[in-house]
Amino acid sequence: MSRADRLEAVLHERELGALIVTNLVNVRYLTGYTGTNGVCIVGEGRRVFLTDFRYVTQAAREVDGFDREQGRQDLLEDAAAHLSGRVGFEDFSMTVRQYERLRGFVSEGTDLVPAGRLVEALRAVKDDRELDAIRAAAALADEVLAVVPERGLAGRPEREVALELEDEMRRHGSDPSFPSIVAGGANGALPHARPGDDPIARDTLVVVDLGCMVDGYASDCTRTFATGAIPDPATEVYGLVLETQVASLGEVRAGAPCTLVDAFARDRITAAGHGEEFGHGLGHGVGLEVHELPTLSRAGEGELAEGNVVTVEPGVYVPDQFGIRIEDLVAVGTDGCEVLSGFPKDLIVAG
Ligand code: ZN
Ligand code: ZN
């Protein structure tokens, strides 16, 4: 069953005659198209892909199983000509402006229905080929992280280290899946810190969070390094985060409610007195995008399913002092999970 066929089955359940897919990542997932302007329509027995002049040749190579059509650069008007009846649209990603334009173009009697994240829900369950790509992306992230203890951190600007890590990815034919984070000392207490120009101090902790792209699929991995001797409280917190991370891996399996996996980790960190300093979710799905469904957090919906790929990344952030995060990428199985990140998790001194 093709991806579009699976979507068609979902549309049928939702009593939608068709879905107009405008989110480019979703278009890629359904059609194989990797360009930057494209729309597709999936309906009962209907598979239409539209792009503009610039991508016609590329689409002919990439898009299979869809009727290909060349439209004007703003594809909405040409796409609207294919729509009638109850048509879902992607309200999580379509802009208000796009929606207003589309509504102006569709024929009278066409009912535009916000469809939620139908394609994103399909994307959350990976097939074997996708898993292979993510495994390779995770293995490459391991190799890149190995550069950190080899070349050291203390005295070097965070930005220089981040550049070096991304350079390493590119030498391996990959790209970063998001801007790499290298955050020493107090900067590490900002979960999404941006690398700065100040030299990394000695005897501090450094959060390094990076991911690679392989065949369009992302990886995501965090390790926290030391640049020398670490004060006892920080060492204790490192032990707490590590112990929580490892224990949480044991909770990841098909059927586990997303909120409960998060709560398992959160309860441990809270019991140790650091609940307030763990302000983000335990994990997120990873695939064509580095943040996708499912979400392991207090707001997470549903249960984990076999074939989900999620991160498990507890962290403790002590403002103005330090941050500690340990993040593995895992593939969800029926009885547990396959850990795709292989880099060691004991505190490594990268002086
Ligand atoms: Zn990360
Ligand atoms: Zn992450």
Side-chain angles (χ1 to χ4, degrees):
M1 210 178 186
S2 76
R3 291 168 178 178
D5 291 347
R6 284 194 289 139
L7 176 60
E8 188 182 319
V10 175
L11 294 176
H12 193 75
E13 276 169 37
R14 297 277 301 262
E15 296 179 339
L16 291 168
L19 181 73
I20 174 166
V21 183
T22 46
N23 175 323
L24 267 174
V25 182
N26 291 341
V27 171
R28 175 179 184 161
Y29 179 75
L30 292 167
T31 69
Y33 172 73
T34 62
T36 58
N37 193 31
V39 169
C40 73
I41 296 160
V42 173
E44 233 171 279
R46 235 181 328 159
R47 305 282 185 270
V48 181
F49 170 84
L50 298 103
T51 189
D52 71 78
F53 170 79
R54 296 169 297 164
Y55 295 106
V56 168
T57 308
Q58 180 180 341
R61 270 200 296 264
E62 294 178 339
V63 177
D64 200 23
F66 280 71
D67 297 328
R68 292 190 308 274
E69 192 176 293
Q70 180 179 336
R72 284 156 288 183
Q73 200 151 326
D74 176 284
L75 300 167
L76 288 178
E77 186 171 359
D78 296 296
H82 292 274
L83 305 178
S84 61
R86 254 173 76 81
V87 177
F89 70 95
E90 299 191 289
D91 56 308
F92 270 75
S93 49
M94 185 178 265
T95 65
V96 175
R97 181 177 161 78
Q98 282 178 312
Y99 171 72
E100 295 291 353
R101 283 174 59 75
L102 182 63
R103 212 173 51 163
F105 290 138
V106 293
S107 60
E108 221 169 290
T110 302
D111 198 6
L112 289 174
V113 182
R117 289 178 286 186
L118 298 183
V119 183
E120 285 88 336
L122 295 178
R123 278 169 44 195
V125 177
K126 273 71 180 174
D127 65 28
D128 288 343
R129 252 183 51 203
E130 294 178 292
L131 284 173
D132 283 344
I134 297 170
R135 263 187 209 106
L140 182 52
D142 289 345
E143 271 188 63
V144 173
L145 277 170
V147 169
V148 174
E150 268 169 38
R151 301 192 198 159
L153 291 168
R156 304 175 61 199
E158 295 167 348
R159 192 197 296 272
E160 181 190 305
V161 177
L163 269 172
E164 182 178 85
L165 298 173
E166 295 186 355
D167 188 51
E168 192 70 18
M169 293 180 202
R170 295 200 165 92
R171 281 177 204 286
H172 284 86
S174 176
D175 286 300
S177 53
F178 58 92
S180 307
I181 295 171
V182 177
N187 291 345
L190 311 169
H192 279 178
R194 288 176 49 186
D197 292 316
D198 294 337
I200 296 169
R202 274 189 199 289
D203 300 336
T204 194
L205 291 168
V206 185
V207 177
V208 179
D209 187 353
L210 54 80
C212 311
M213 299 298 294
V214 171
D215 295 335
Y217 284 83
S219 66
D220 187 5
C221 183
T222 306
R223 291 294 184 264
T224 302
F225 296 90
T227 57
I230 301 303
D232 287 346
T235 308
E236 247 168 64
V237 175
Y238 191 94
L240 170 69
V241 173
L242 177 57
E243 184 264 340
T244 301
Q245 202 274 343
V246 172
S248 300
L249 291 174
E251 298 300 303
V252 174
R253 69 178 68 82
C258 291
T259 49
L260 290 193
V261 180
D262 175 81
F264 176 85
R266 199 164 300 284
D267 289 350
R268 284 178 173 242
I269 291 179
T270 303
H274 293 282
E276 294 292 310
E277 296 156 354
F278 175 27
H280 57 72
L282 178 66
H284 54 85
V286 175
L288 288 170
E289 290 181 290
V290 74
H291 288 109
E292 56 179 56
L293 296 177
T295 304
L296 298 178
S297 75
R298 282 180 278 209
E301 288 170 14
E303 299 173 348
L304 288 172
E306 186 180 7
N308 286 162
V309 172
V310 293
T311 65
V312 176
E313 50 176 310
V316 169
Y317 309 90
V318 182
D320 304 319
Q321 293 186 43
F322 62 85
I324 295 168
R325 179 166 67 253
I326 301 173
E327 173 181 34
D328 279 339
L329 192 59
V330 311
V332 179
T334 46
D335 298 318
C337 68
E338 175 192 347
V339 181
L340 309 179
S341 309
F343 196 83
K345 288 187 276 199
D346 289 321
L347 187 58
I348 293 176
V349 177

